[in-house]
């Protein structure tokens, strides 16, 4: 399963930083063009873009990454409706992918939901 790596971008030059800071001070309206077409961003996307621009305007380097819903083993077991021991066995067997943060297991919510879906498909229809 591919995971996007965080992208780090160096700070802007002083001139670019000042120009961007001036533009943001005048208005928080942001127009985005995608393939020559004006696109109105949903509020969450707009806020994220403005946040990145403000960080650049402050002279910061910026790192962009994706956030995923990572669960600990207890949370994953609760979502799946199984015991903690059974969830550990599923991750140990590789049935549900797991990441380790130090010695702590982290399980993606989408992986638990995918496992539940395959389990439901295997249930005999009665």
């Amino acid at each position: 399963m591919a995971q996007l790596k965080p992208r780090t971008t160096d700070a802007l030059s002083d001139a670019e930083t000042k120009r961007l800071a001036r533009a943001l001070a005048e208005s928080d309206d942001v127009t985005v063009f995608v393939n020559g077409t004006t696109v109105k961003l949903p509020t969450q996307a707009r806020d994220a873009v403005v946040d990145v621009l403000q960080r650049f305007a402050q002279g910061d380097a910026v790192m962009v990454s994706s956030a995923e819903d990572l669960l600990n083993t207890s949370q994953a077991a609760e979502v799946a409706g199984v015991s903690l021991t059974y969830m550990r066995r599923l991750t140990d067997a590789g049935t549900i992918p797991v990441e380790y943060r130090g010695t702590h297991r982290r399980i993606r919510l989408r992986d638990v939901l995918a496992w539940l879906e395959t389990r439901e498909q295997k249930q005999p229809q009665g």
Side-chain angles (χ1 to χ4, degrees):
M1 172 180 335
Q3 182 175 0
L4 295 176
K5 293 180 180 175
R7 178 184 172 144
T8 302
T9 305
D10 293 334
L12 302 175
S13 69
D14 286 342
E16 291 170 319
T17 298
K18 289 176 185 172
R19 196 175 105 218
L20 183 56
R22 242 187 340 268
L24 288 170
E26 292 172 9
S27 173
D28 63 356
D29 179 37
V30 177
T31 301
V32 177
F33 293 93
V34 177
N35 199 25
T37 303
T38 304
V39 176
K40 180 176 169 74
L41 296 176
T43 303
Q44 292 165 307
R46 184 209 159 278
D47 291 348
V49 169
V50 169
D51 182 60
V52 168
L53 294 175
Q54 287 173 336
R55 291 169 191 266
F56 275 127
Q58 294 169 2
D60 295 339
V62 174
M63 178 185 290
V64 177
S65 181
S66 299
E68 294 193 54
D69 291 331
L70 291 176
L71 308 172
N72 64 34
T73 312
S74 297
Q75 293 166 325
E78 186 175 335
V79 167
V82 299
S83 71
L84 178 58
T85 302
Y86 189 61
M87 181 56 65
R88 285 188 186 129
R89 286 184 190 148
L90 290 170
T91 60
D92 288 343
T95 305
I96 296 179
V98 65
E99 294 178 20
Y100 284 90
R101 303 288 165 91
T103 59
H104 302 281
R105 299 171 204 235
R106 294 295 177 255
I107 304 162
R108 287 185 177 90
L109 174 60
R110 69 173 181 227
D111 291 332
V112 174
L113 297 176
W115 175 77
L116 284 171
E117 188 173 314
T118 60
R119 189 171 152 195
E120 289 173 9
Q121 291 172 355
K122 292 178 184 178
Q123 295 289 324
Q125 302 297 320

